[in-house]
Amino acid sequence: MTTEARQEDGGGVATSPETLSITDNRTGKQYEIPIEDGTIRATELRNIKVDEDDFGVMSYDPAFMNTASTRSAVTFIDGEKGILEYRGYPIEQLAEQSTYLEVAYLLIHGELPSKDQLEEWTHHITYHTYVHENVKEFMHGFRYDGHPMGMLEASVAGLSTFYPEAAAIKDEDVRYIQVIRLIAKMPTLAAFAYRHSRGLPYVYPDNDLRYVGNFLSMLFRMTELKYEPDPRVERALDILFILHADHEQNCSANAVRSVGSSQVDPYSAIAAGVAALYGPLHGGANEQVLRMLHRIERKENVPDFIAGVKEGKERLMGFGHRIYKNYDPRAKIIKQARDDVFEAMGTNPLLEIALELERIALEDDYFIERKLYPNVDFYSGLIYEALGMPVEMFPVLFAIGRTSGWLAQWLEMITDSEQKIARPRQVYTGERGRDYVPLEKRS
Ligand code: CMC
């Protein structure tokens, strides 16, 4: 509330401790804006006007550097301390003791499931892994060398045409079945995209296998009657899915929320998340780490490479984070998964270079002063490569894990009475009121 009224009453500016006092030097008027949870409501600024016709002050914040777009109870991050929690549970405990499907339940429902609830949830997801046969047809239409992330993005959006009832987003039961379908079908679509890009026949889901084991089967099964996933690989990928499941209001979660705020069906909203994740600044960094390691080629070349980074010639990919100014907690956990996969599949020769990079960087003042630590992508690419995944599949794997987080964010947004269609303002900098010039009169 402004204190304009108070001023007129001769009250001056109140000095309640939970408020922000603003003086508009254009008018000399003073305003008092409530501070709630460390934020002020941007719409309060609209009361600050030079006169009645004035639109009011707006906040200008390209890239949302300092704007909270929502209240959320899904994921907590403290970047200074290196803390990541899903629904209040530390990522370390979840990665060590939980499974991806249980974490997905937690993200969606807000609570860990009971034994019966988990069984039912797992059953539902397992029995929704099949996709309509026509999906194979449109997958077939993609070029053989198309990027699997493009195929995933298009096929997730395409699912909305198979489930038109999903448009009834206000119906809780309808929403719930789409959540199940999306978590269940994402690995199937991802595996189909991979098989298509390899020119291999599609492998149907095997309901006897667990979520990750079934995904591995759909990716890698050849002539064997039954695919038996290596439990170490299965567990490692399960952990990677847990680590990638949510990361609060990141670019793709924001895309899901923004597109979903138009009240479109969830397949279209999640497809927007896949599109955002496709970008190299978001889901593509692990691919860059691998390219960097290949380029460094040998451990002996690491000091020269680091010297180049310090001279500003290039970046040490997989290091640094906008939010984490401490060790990315996901990067710590991933080390164990890395060792397990290497034990099962054989060591990736690039590991030696990565370890040397990490060792030198963590001791070097340049990285210490700037608080640059390994992030989740420093080792995930090495693991994926050891699993036999081509680099194009890296963001696809990220998308499978992130689906439960996107859905949790989408559900929260849909049921939040404060949310409306997302529609930012702009500061217009273009021309005004020009007269149209007919083509023949333009020079
Ligand atoms: N190598 C070398 N120097 C770096 C690096 C790096 N990876 N990252 C930041 N710096 C330096 C940067 O040059 C700057 O130095 P100075 O103050 O002398 O100009 C300082 O550290 C601050 O950097 P910034 O670019 O202002 O930091 P930011 O918060 O805008 O960028 C980042 C964060 C992740 C984009 C950046 O650290 C980076 O480019 N890292 C490499 C790419 C990468 O690994 N990305 C994956 C992020 S984790 C996946 C996810 O959660 O989405």
Side-chain angles (χ1 to χ4, degrees):
M1 281 292 125
T2 74
T3 53
E4 240 185 316
R6 263 178 227 244
Q7 234 182 8
E8 282 161 12
D9 295 345
V13 177
T15 50
S16 155
E18 293 303 313
T19 60
L20 179 73
S21 297
I22 296 179
T23 305
D24 184 347
N25 293 324
R26 299 170 302 176
T27 58
K29 286 185 186 163
Q30 294 188 302
Y31 301 83
E32 188 189 357
I33 297 179
I35 300 175
E36 210 183 330
D37 297 322
T39 67
I40 57 162
R41 283 187 183 260
T43 46
E44 291 282 349
L45 300 175
R46 290 277 293 279
N47 296 318
I48 304 177
K49 302 176 178 204
V50 278
D51 56 45
E52 266 316 297
D53 297 335
D54 187 5
F55 182 78
V57 169
M58 290 192 290
S59 60
Y60 176 61
D61 189 10
F64 299 122
M65 295 291 286
N66 194 35
T67 293
S69 61
T70 186
R71 290 174 171 277
S72 180
V74 180
T75 292
F76 172 81
I77 300 177
D78 183 328
E80 290 297 325
K81 297 196 181 119
I83 296 172
L84 170 61
E85 294 171 358
Y86 297 158
R87 301 287 190 184
Y89 293 98
I91 191 70
E92 292 80 3
Q93 291 183 24
L94 295 171
E96 198 185 324
Q97 300 174 51
S98 187
T99 62
Y100 176 68
L101 278 195
E102 189 182 49
V103 166
Y105 183 100
L106 172 68
L107 286 168
I108 299 294
H109 293 87
E111 297 296 337
L112 284 169
S114 67
K115 198 165 171 293
D116 288 350
Q117 286 167 330
L118 183 59
E119 260 170 34
E120 193 189 338
W121 170 252
T122 306
H123 175 87
H124 282 321
I125 291 189
T126 307
Y127 284 85
H128 281 89
T129 46
Y130 270 66
V131 289
H132 193 287
E133 279 293 286
N134 288 9
V135 170
K136 282 193 341 201
E137 301 301 317
F138 68 69
M139 198 60 87
H140 197 64
F142 291 115
R143 271 179 59 135
Y144 72 97
D145 58 353
H147 199 293
M149 197 65 167
M151 298 185 208
L152 183 71
E153 183 188 336
S155 49
V156 170
L159 286 185
S160 71
T161 65
F162 293 92
Y163 308 109
E165 74 275 17
I169 54 135
K170 300 225 161 114
D171 184 319
E172 195 179 341
D173 295 338
V174 171
R175 284 200 301 264
Y176 193 64
I177 179 69
Q178 317 316 322
V179 167
I180 300 271
R181 282 180 175 144
L182 270 158
I183 295 173
K185 293 181 202 306
M186 209 64 162
T188 313
L189 296 176
F192 277 21
Y194 170 76
R195 300 286 290 202
H196 177 69
S197 62
R198 283 278 181 274
L200 292 166
Y202 305 120
V203 176
Y204 286 102
D206 180 344
N207 290 352
D208 293 340
L209 295 174
R210 287 191 290 266
Y211 189 76
V212 172
N214 171 52
F215 176 52
L216 290 168
S217 164
M218 290 189 292
L219 286 175
F220 299 129
R221 193 171 131 206
M222 297 303 283
T223 53
E224 64 270 44
L225 287 179
K226 184 103 188 144
Y227 181 85
E228 283 177 19
D230 184 311
R232 290 166 300 184
V233 173
E234 209 179 351
R235 180 66 189 140
L237 201 49
D238 202 52
I239 291 173
L240 283 165
F241 285 166
I242 293 173
L243 298 184
H244 285 101
D246 197 50
H247 215 225
E248 51 118 308
Q249 307 310 313
N250 55 85
C251 177
S252 57
N254 186 55
V256 169
R257 279 177 174 266
S258 181
V259 170
S261 75
S262 72
Q263 301 195 350
V264 73
D265 68 87
Y267 299 101
S268 305
I270 299 297
V274 179
L277 194 68
Y278 196 171
L281 293 188
H282 192 8
N286 47 19
E287 183 179 337
Q288 299 306 324
V289 172
L290 269 205
R291 294 194 195 287
M292 174 189 77
L293 294 175
H294 279 294
R295 217 154 27 86
I296 296 174
E297 217 181 329
R298 287 185 297 126
K299 187 180 160 186
E300 295 69 44
N301 297 337
V302 167
D304 275 356
F305 177 81
I306 293 277
V309 169
K310 286 162 65 176
E311 284 163 28
K313 287 187 189 149
E314 56 189 308
R315 290 208 158 189
L316 172 52
M317 298 310 288
F319 262 66
H321 197 277
R322 171 65 62 77
I323 305 272
Y324 295 119
K325 299 301 167 199
N326 200 321
Y327 219 100
D328 178 342
R330 302 169 299 174
K332 276 191 197 158
I333 300 163
I334 230 169
K335 286 185 178 183
Q336 183 57 46
R338 176 199 73 195
D339 294 343
D340 292 346
V341 169
F342 288 170
E343 191 188 306
M345 309 297 289
T347 303
N348 188 327
L350 298 174
L351 175 64
E352 207 192 6
I353 303 172
L355 289 172
E356 185 65 0
L357 275 173
E358 182 178 351
R359 189 186 68 76
I360 295 186
L362 291 179
E363 287 173 357
D364 193 296
D365 281 349
Y366 175 95
F367 296 91
I368 294 168
E369 278 162 16
R370 290 170 179 76
K371 300 186 176 175
L372 300 172
Y373 294 88
N375 60 50
V376 68
D377 285 327
F378 193 63
Y379 287 113
S380 63
L382 283 177
I383 300 176
Y384 294 148
E385 193 173 70
L387 291 173
M389 304 282 178
V391 282
E392 303 80 46
M393 279 299 281
F394 295 1
V396 172
L397 296 167
F398 194 155
I400 296 175
R402 187 52 62 88
T403 299
S404 54
W406 286 332
L407 287 165
Q409 300 285 344
W410 174 74
L411 286 170
E412 189 173 61
M413 184 270 303
I414 287 295
T415 50
D416 181 347
S417 60
E418 275 203 302
Q419 292 293 337
K420 291 166 177 269
I421 187 164
R423 205 308 189 177
R425 295 275 173 182
Q426 66 168 8
V427 177
Y428 180 68
T429 60
E431 305 275 357
R432 292 288 322 279
R434 299 162 109 187
D435 281 327
Y436 180 80
V437 181
L439 188 57
E440 58 279 12
K441 293 199 176 156
R442 286 178 229 157
S443 52

